[in-house]
Amino acid sequence: MSTKKAIITGGTRGIGYEAVQLLIKNNIEVTAIVRDKEKAKNILPNCALIEYDLSDLKNIKTLLNQLPEADILINNAGIMNTCSIDDYPTSKREALMNINLYTVVELIDHVKHSMIKNGGGRIVNNASIAGHIGHPDVWYGISKAAIINLTKSYAKLYGKNNIVINTVAPGPVNTDLMNNIPVPRQQSLKNGSYAGRFAEPSEIAETMLWLATNSPSYINGICLDINNGAFPR
Ligand code: NAD
C-alpha cells in the first residue's frame, strides 16, 4: 500500500501541531503550509514545508501551484481578533476572512481535482463552537459558521466522487488563541463545560485524525462538536 499524503495549514503550534505529530505517527507524509519556513524547519523537521501567508488571497495561485497531490487536506489555520464590531479595521476583517474562510475554499477547490482523479480523498476543516452560538469577534463567528455550511455543500457536491469532508467544532481549547480572551471570560468558559476545563489540543487533533483516516466514509458533511457540554444540541 502506498504512503498516504496529507496537506495541513496551521501546523506549527496548537491543534495543528498535535495533528501533524499524529499524522506522522500514522506513517502519513505531511506537507505543512507555514508562514515562516525557516522557523518552521525546527518545529516540524519531518514535514515538507511550503511558505505562504494565508491572509494573502490575491496570490493564492502561487501557493496552489506548489502543492503536491494529497489524499488528505486539513484546513486548520485560523485567527481570532479582539475587535468590537463597531471598531473593526477593514484590514483585520479581510485578513481573518482570508485565513479562516476564503483560502480554505481555494484549497478545497484545488485539491478536489486530484482527489477525484485518484478515486477520492478526505478533507477535515476546523470550525468552532463560535459557528453555532456566535462570538464577540463577530467576523470570527461568521467565518466559522460558513465553514460548517461549506462542509455540507462540498459533501453534497462530491460525495459521489468519494470525497469525505467533515468539520470539527471545538469549544475552548488550551492554545495560544485563548490568550486573546480576558481571564474572567476564560474562567466562565471553563465553568460552562461538564469537566470545568478547556480541551487539550491533542483531543481535537485525535478527532481530526480519525475523520482524516479511519472514520466510516458514510460520515460525510457533518460538524462534530467537541465542546464537552458548552453547547449541547
Ligand atoms: P494557534 O493560534 O495556536 O494556531 C494557529 C495556527 O494557524 C498557527 O500554526 C499559525 O501559524 C497559523 N496561522 C495563523 N495565521 C496564519 C497565516 N496568516 N498564514 C498561515 N498560517 C497562519 O490556534 P489553535 O487554537 O491551534 O487554532 C487552530 C484552529 O482551531 C483555528 O482555526 C481556530 O479557529 C480553531 N479553534 C480553536 C479554538 C481554541 O479555543 N483554541 C476553539 C475552536 C476552534
Side-chain angles (χ1 to χ4, degrees):
M1 214 170 56
S2 64
T3 311
K4 282 205 172 138
K5 295 186 172 61
I7 296 170
I8 186 167
T9 64
T12 53
R13 58 170 199 250
I15 298 166
Y17 176 81
E18 296 297 329
V20 169
Q21 304 315 308
L22 289 174
L23 289 164
I24 290 171
K25 230 189 243 171
N26 283 269
N27 298 316
I28 296 168
E29 269 177 32
V30 180
T31 298
I33 299 167
V34 299
R35 259 179 305 182
D36 185 333
K37 202 168 166 173
E38 268 320 296
K39 261 199 213 155
K41 266 183 193 164
N42 298 323
I43 304 168
L44 303 173
N46 301 322
C47 295
L49 302 173
I50 299 177
E51 186 169 283
Y52 196 77
D53 185 329
L54 293 166
S55 66
D56 179 2
L57 183 65
K58 261 199 332 272
N59 296 303
I60 192 76
K61 285 238 151 43
T62 62
L63 167 65
L64 302 180
N65 291 337
Q66 296 177 65
L67 292 178
E69 291 194 352
D71 309 284
I72 296 164
L73 168 66
I74 299 186
N75 286 307
N76 170 71
I79 60 163
M80 185 175 75
N81 292 319
T82 45
C83 314
S84 105
I85 195 65
D86 295 324
D87 187 18
Y88 210 116
T90 306
S91 59
K92 287 208 165 204
R93 185 193 72 207
E94 282 177 1
L96 182 146
M97 292 302 281
N98 287 347
I99 297 163
N100 290 16
L101 181 60
Y102 298 142
T103 53
V104 171
V105 178
E106 294 286 343
L107 284 166
I108 295 171
D109 272 333
H110 180 82
V111 301
K112 76 181 188 211
H113 294 294
S114 61
M115 285 181 174
I116 292 169
K117 182 184 75 163
N118 296 330
R122 291 202 174 213
I123 301 170
V124 183
N125 300 317
N126 198 345
S128 166
I129 190 174
H132 297 307
I133 63 174
H135 197 271
D137 176 352
V138 172
W139 286 104
Y140 183 75
I142 290 169
S143 70
K144 296 304 187 179
I147 290 291
I148 293 166
N149 185 274
L150 73 84
T151 299
K152 293 177 207 167
S153 300
Y154 278 94
K156 198 177 259 187
L157 285 168
Y158 300 107
K160 289 200 174 57
N161 301 102
N162 294 321
I163 292 192
V164 174
I165 172 167
N166 292 297
T167 191
V168 292
V173 188
N174 193 9
T175 70
D176 289 358
L177 195 103
M178 292 309 292
N179 297 338
N180 284 343
I181 293 183
V183 173
R185 184 155 173 260
Q186 288 191 23
Q187 192 52 52
S188 86
L189 289 170
K190 283 181 188 166
N191 295 343
S193 72
Y194 298 139
R197 66 169 176 88
F198 292 160
E200 289 305 319
S202 59
E203 294 174 297
I204 313 305
E206 278 170 29
T207 314
M208 293 168 95
L209 177 77
W210 180 66
L211 291 171
T213 55
N214 291 329
S215 62
S217 61
Y218 206 71
I219 298 176
N220 202 358
I222 69 155
C223 172
L224 206 165
D225 294 349
I226 317 175
N227 63 46
N228 202 247
F231 182 56
R233 63 186 181 111

